[in-house]
Amino acid sequence: MALSPLPAQDLAAKKPFARIGILTSGGDAQGMNAAVRAAIRAALYYKLDIYAIYEGYMGMVHGGDYIRRMTWETVGGILHKGGTVIGTARSAEFRTREGRLSAAKNLLEHEIDHLIIIGGDGSLTGANLFRQEWTGLLDELVANGQLTRELADRHPTLYIAGMVGSIDNDMAGTETTIGADTALHRITEALDALTSTAASHQRAFVVEVMGRRCGYLALMAALASGADWVIIPENPPSEDNWEDRMCEILAEGRQVGRRDSIVVVAEGAQDRHGKPITSQYIKTVLEDKLGEDTRITILGHVQRGGTPSAYDRNMSTILGFRAVEELLRCAEGEPAFFMGVQGSRVVKLPLMENVALTHYIGDCLSQGRFREAMDLRGKEFADAFRVLKTMVRAHPSTNGKVKKPLRIGILNAGGPAPGMNATVRASVRMAIEQGHSVMGIRYGFRGLLEEGNIRELGWMSVNGWAPVGGSELGTSRKEPEKHDLYRIARVLEENNINALMMVGGLAGYRACYSLYKERDNFDAFNIPILCVPVSIDNNLPGTDIAVGSDTALNNIMSAVDKIKQSAVASSRCFVVEVMGRHCGYLAAMSALATGAERVYLPEEGLSLADLSRDVDMLLNGFQHGKRLGLLIRSEHAHPTYTTDFVARVLDAESKGLYSVRQAVLGHLQQGGDPTPADRVLASRFAAHAIDWFSNQGKEDLRQHAFIGLQHNEILFNEMDRMSRLLNKDNTHPRDQWWEELLPIIKVLALPGVP
Ligand code: ADP
């Protein structure tokens, strides 16, 4: 338990009388419920009163029953719901001073002077204006007798904590906004589905996605789904005859065997002169110039629909929790802030500076300063655009070749993970584009020990791989033994492989490490060797996140959502076992995403005393009307206290109040199509990995390394550091960023607080 004590209650002592109001405003976004739930439970945990203001600013202006005090239970069972259960609206009245006057009066009826607002930049701008006017509004209310001076004086400042709910991901300063990841799921599912029907009929599809002033959804969805062309507001086609260029690329694609043409267009797409590029116009171009049978699909509100993704649930939960903590830390007069994501971590950011920057980017777009707009979108955006430009080609281009081309052997190793194919596909094309050749090695390191497993991978050999789960190359967990090394060295030499790229998990990392250690004995291993992290377990050194883990997490989450539905009918407690080997990442994150009351992790262990306490927790809960218990156990949480053992103990002690079932989720966690986040990360790794190979010999680069994403930056670690970054058993990284979140999981699951 030492790893994750509960957050310090003494934070509450800073503002024992603070009362918080929370509302959702503007367009709805999946994940708003998670943020609302977390903020409400955090406030209750810190012993504060918190009120939901229903229907956004409209409810605040009208007051009365729109403002309701919240309890722990009122936000139970909402994590998986799309939209917002406390309602959202657009309010013309709040744009007027009279409206805001009435809003201030309604808030002070409950003595609320801390507000949490979840909405887009419009809602947050409104909140800031309200804050700036606060003193004046209260003076006016006192002057016309609607408020006592004494009450007004008790609330000199209105404190504002924002969170950005916007599926477009269009807010400056934060890497992601609530709802964007889920919208990307919906779009990518649609594009995958359209790709198969388009291919069957050899049709072209123009797919319009949301994003009036931001091309994030269009760009990432195009990259994730392997679309053939994308048009976004930030990067209008550079030539005036861009229609010819687009048609040329699409026609070339047909010639080399592509059966479909998919063009993704953001709703705010425009040309360099600011003229809108509509989906209808693109359809006409494709029909006239290519004679293609072309259909338009406008995805519309489907993009706002459905259950929130694991990322949106978890990120929003952390944002909501931290928003309350930051409100408690606020000094008097503190300007409005919002909780956002930077370097993949939740941080507090100044509100108005970032709203201004968001508007500035909008101005860049309307005034034709596209390069500046593109730069302001950040590195991930730029990476994605660069990769996409290469991916859509039917052939490699003729320029930009490296002086010393390599013959790169590429293999998958470790357990199969969604995103392996997306990584290999992007790597193959990026490598060929830069002038290298790529040899695909089947079945991982085992394939190097057998005959006939090496073949060259051409540009079109990886066509259609992006959305496919599993490993097309084939993978194995084989780690070469001492006596295998000679054979491996021979095979590399015979095939003239002078660079090696391992795309996979811990077994692959260990294998590469052993080649590195033996490089003095075998010259064949004195070649650039790079490990790329792809593993559902997310247990790899030098990276915050591995490709594949997001898909596994979503797989677990959807399975548990279904299990929960089945269980509420009958007072049942489920013990769900999830994968992860010796790393608790999947268990912890799925507990956060599904609202489990308990998670058993290898990092924390499990004792008989813990089990006894959990029995008490369940008995107490079910005695007081609870109908569902959910406990998640990581597969190696404890060698003796197995899932079966835990379930039997809980059942034996249930006193007939509940029945216990166990669910071992098994291989469904490794399967399925990769999520958009995994596919996008796959191509980001691929692009940087191939740059690393191309730069070999140029700079002060080590020959043997592993790539990773840390704080949203791509980094390379020397192979030698591997053992230092791993724990003593070499089963997971020594430092795991997500362990900081364990206290939040605990608080949110505390039954019946206060
Ligand atoms: P979003 O928050 O998604 O950008 P809107 O721009 O429609 O959505 O804003 C939602 C609501 O926020 C508006 O209906 C209005 O009540 C309030 N609001 C927006 N901008 C302002 C503003 N400048 N001043 C006061 N209230 C505003």
Side-chain angles (χ1 to χ4, degrees), residues 25-27 57 89-92 94-95 100 119-123 125-126 129:
S25 170
Y57 290 127
R90 306 213 194 254
S91 162
F94 191 73
R95 289 180 184 272
R100 295 192 289 275
D121 64 341
S123 305
T125 305
L129 178 66

Side-chain angles (χ1 to χ4, degrees), residues 25-28 32 56-58 88-96 100 118-127 129-130 165-166 170 304:
S25 170
D28 65 321
M32 281 180 162
Y57 290 127
M58 200 268 277
T88 178
R90 306 213 194 254
S91 162
E93 288 162 299
F94 191 73
R95 289 180 184 272
T96 67
R100 295 192 289 275
I118 311 170
D121 64 341
S123 305
L124 298 176
T125 305
L129 178 66
F130 190 40
S166 158
D170 52 358
R304 289 193 189 279

